[in-house]
Amino acid sequence: LVNVSAKIKELGLDIHPLIVVHDDILFEVNNKYKEEEVKPILKSCLEMMFKDKILLTVDCNVSKKSWGDLKG
């Protein structure tokens, strides 16, 4: 997650990881960004995190209210 945070900072984005729970990572994203702008960036950063060791497939979901809205 440190590499992901560094890449986000390098890109100058106002996005902050808040918490990791099992295999979920919750990010706080500034409202100035559109969902379709941020999702590919986060997906790419996360999938490349362990690129030399394992193939990671990342799903990105968005909630304007809370993380609980995304859980089924």
Side-chain angles (χ1 to χ4, degrees), residues 20-38:
V20 176
V21 180
H22 301 290
D23 61 348
D24 292 325
I25 304 172
L26 180 65
F27 288 91
E28 181 179 48
V29 179
N30 189 302
N31 288 333
K32 68 183 176 184
Y33 302 117
K34 294 182 178 163
E35 178 181 333
E36 54 275 358
E37 293 174 314
V38 174

Side-chain angles (χ1 to χ4, degrees), residues 19-71:
I19 189 169
V20 176
V21 180
H22 301 290
D23 61 348
D24 292 325
I25 304 172
L26 180 65
F27 288 91
E28 181 179 48
V29 179
N30 189 302
N31 288 333
K32 68 183 176 184
Y33 302 117
K34 294 182 178 163
E35 178 181 333
E36 54 275 358
E37 293 174 314
V38 174
K39 284 174 72 172
I41 294 168
L42 288 176
K43 181 174 173 48
S44 174
C45 287
L46 291 166
E47 287 179 341
M48 298 302 284
M49 193 165 38
F50 298 107
K51 69 178 182 213
D52 297 334
K53 297 180 178 154
I54 60 170
L55 175 63
L56 239 131
T57 302
V58 174
D59 294 321
C60 293
N61 297 297
V62 175
S63 173
K64 302 283 183 189
K65 293 181 183 181
S66 74
W67 179 55
D69 291 343
L70 300 174
K71 292 296 177 184

